[in-house]
Amino acid sequence: MRAVGLLRYGGPEVLRVVELSTPHAGPGEVRIRVRAAAVNPADTLIRAGMTPVRLRGSDPLLPGQDIAGTIDEVGSGTSGVLAPGDPVMAMVNPTRAAGGGYAEWVVLPEAWVVPAPAGVSLAEAATLPLNGLTALHALDQLRLPPGSTLAVTGAAGAVGGYAVQLAKAAGHRVFADAAPGDADLVAALGADVTVTRGPGVADRFREHAPDGVDAAVDTALLGGALLPAVREGGAVALLRGGPDPVLRAQADQRRIDMVSAYVHEYDGRRDKLDLLRRLAEEGALTLRVAGRFPPQEAARAHELLEAGGVRGRLIIEF
């Protein structure tokens, strides 16, 4: 089968199309004929050697954590919920021995796979698992009661956009930041209040929430610059690791709880991924494809993502 992988760490140029043995579904597993794999910031970090996902000898390392395609092989001992021909989506953990999702065929435990949302393309479905589950895990960690106020930074991005929409679906009032050119997009995603991103954003949030918001999801990685927007005793969900000692000390001074969103806590959580499917089918989540590329142009997709300004997800199509 064809896959996109790397034999050494580096820039986008290290990505290449490689030929690998086609895997088969074992007991409790299903095989997906992948049609779309999303390109995420985590993939660029894997490619650059900046994550725990490591090269193994002379075998190519495959990035990729979002896939959509069709079931084409079912192992023994599965539930029968998924059958050959079913359109599906899944999140892949590239630390597993088989690597990530940039491949024509991917085998996963049945519990990791759910039907693709009805009425959307497979490319659109591939934008949802990783980013949607990241936003959902952040909100689940915050444990906000309905009607809470929530600030979302980086709201025009993939995770930020899903955070806005998931928060609205949960009944919260959402304050979001955006560049002027993205303000209409963020409003269309459902933000109740949109402020201009950049230095002083916490003060701009406070103009609309004088007592501070109950919590924040910091997809823009603002750290300490965001804390003044949050009320004393509130909470902040961080992406990409926990708080450093300085941020922790700042938060402790105002009794702000710091929680970390780690998407692979939801590996195999069919209930969580299926919730995203249902919300997408109901129109509560917007699936945004920013561009499509054949496998041989995967490097170009990585270049565009790292250049910034991509709204939605770039897709490698097999």
Side-chain angles (χ1 to χ4, degrees):
M1 69 172 182
R2 292 180 305 159
V4 174
L6 54 128
L7 295 170
R8 61 182 177 86
Y9 303 119
E13 72 282 353
V14 303
L15 293 172
R16 62 190 64 204
V17 176
V18 296
E19 291 287 337
L20 301 174
S21 298
T22 303
H24 292 280
E29 296 177 331
V30 296
R31 186 174 74 180
I32 301 169
R33 173 59 174 94
V34 177
R35 297 298 181 182
V39 177
N40 287 283
D43 299 339
T44 68
L45 297 176
I46 290 170
R47 189 209 69 225
M50 298 172 65
T51 75
V53 183
R54 311 308 296 172
L55 284 162
R56 301 182 183 95
S58 60
D59 294 331
L61 171 60
L62 308 188
Q65 299 184 68
D66 276 317
I67 59 173
T70 55
I71 298 292
D72 79 341
E73 191 175 84
V74 177
S76 62
T78 54
S79 68
V81 171
L82 301 173
D86 289 349
V88 295
M89 64 181 181
M91 182 175 70
V92 182
N93 189 332
T95 63
R96 66 200 188 105
Y102 288 6
E104 287 185 291
W105 279 275
V106 170
V107 171
L108 290 170
E110 181 189 26
W112 292 43
V113 184
V114 302
V120 308
S121 69
L122 290 174
E124 290 170 322
T127 70
L128 182 54
L130 177 69
N131 297 286
L133 287 173
T134 300
L136 183 60
H137 190 246
L139 290 169
D140 286 352
Q141 292 282 94
L142 291 172
R143 298 181 176 86
L144 299 174
S148 298
T149 53
L150 178 76
V152 178
T153 67
V159 176
Y162 286 137
V164 169
Q165 293 191 302
L166 288 169
K168 290 301 297 179
H172 304 315
R173 180 168 170 79
V174 178
F175 301 77
D177 72 346
D182 290 325
D184 289 344
L185 166 64
V186 171
L189 292 173
D192 296 285
V193 174
T194 304
V195 304
T196 303
R197 73 177 186 181
V201 69
D203 294 334
R204 290 188 287 278
F205 281 134
R206 279 276 185 167
E207 290 174 8
H208 298 277
D211 296 328
V213 294
D214 295 315
V217 177
D218 187 17
T219 79
L221 311 181
L222 299 184
L226 180 61
L227 289 184
V230 181
R231 66 169 174 82
E232 185 169 344
V236 176
L238 303 174
L239 276 67
R240 298 191 188 179
D244 60 37
V246 173
L247 181 57
R248 172 66 73 186
Q250 292 173 336
D252 287 348
Q253 287 178 356
R254 298 180 52 237
R255 297 186 299 108
I256 294 175
D257 189 23
M258 308 296 286
V259 302
S260 298
Y262 180 59
V263 69
H264 290 297
E265 290 289 331
Y266 282 170
D267 284 353
R269 287 294 301 270
R270 176 183 282 164
D271 58 330
K272 299 296 184 180
L273 191 53
D274 204 52
L275 170 61
L276 297 180
R277 175 194 62 81
R278 295 197 304 271
L279 289 171
E281 289 183 346
E282 294 166 4
L285 298 178
T286 303
L287 313 183
R288 295 180 284 158
V289 174
R292 304 171 188 232
F293 300 82
Q296 62 269 25
E297 294 181 16
R300 177 60 178 156
H302 274 231
E303 288 173 357
L304 289 173
L305 182 62
E306 290 184 304
V310 174
R311 297 295 174 251
R313 279 288 167 254
L314 303 170
I315 301 294
I316 300 171
E317 294 188 311
F318 290 92

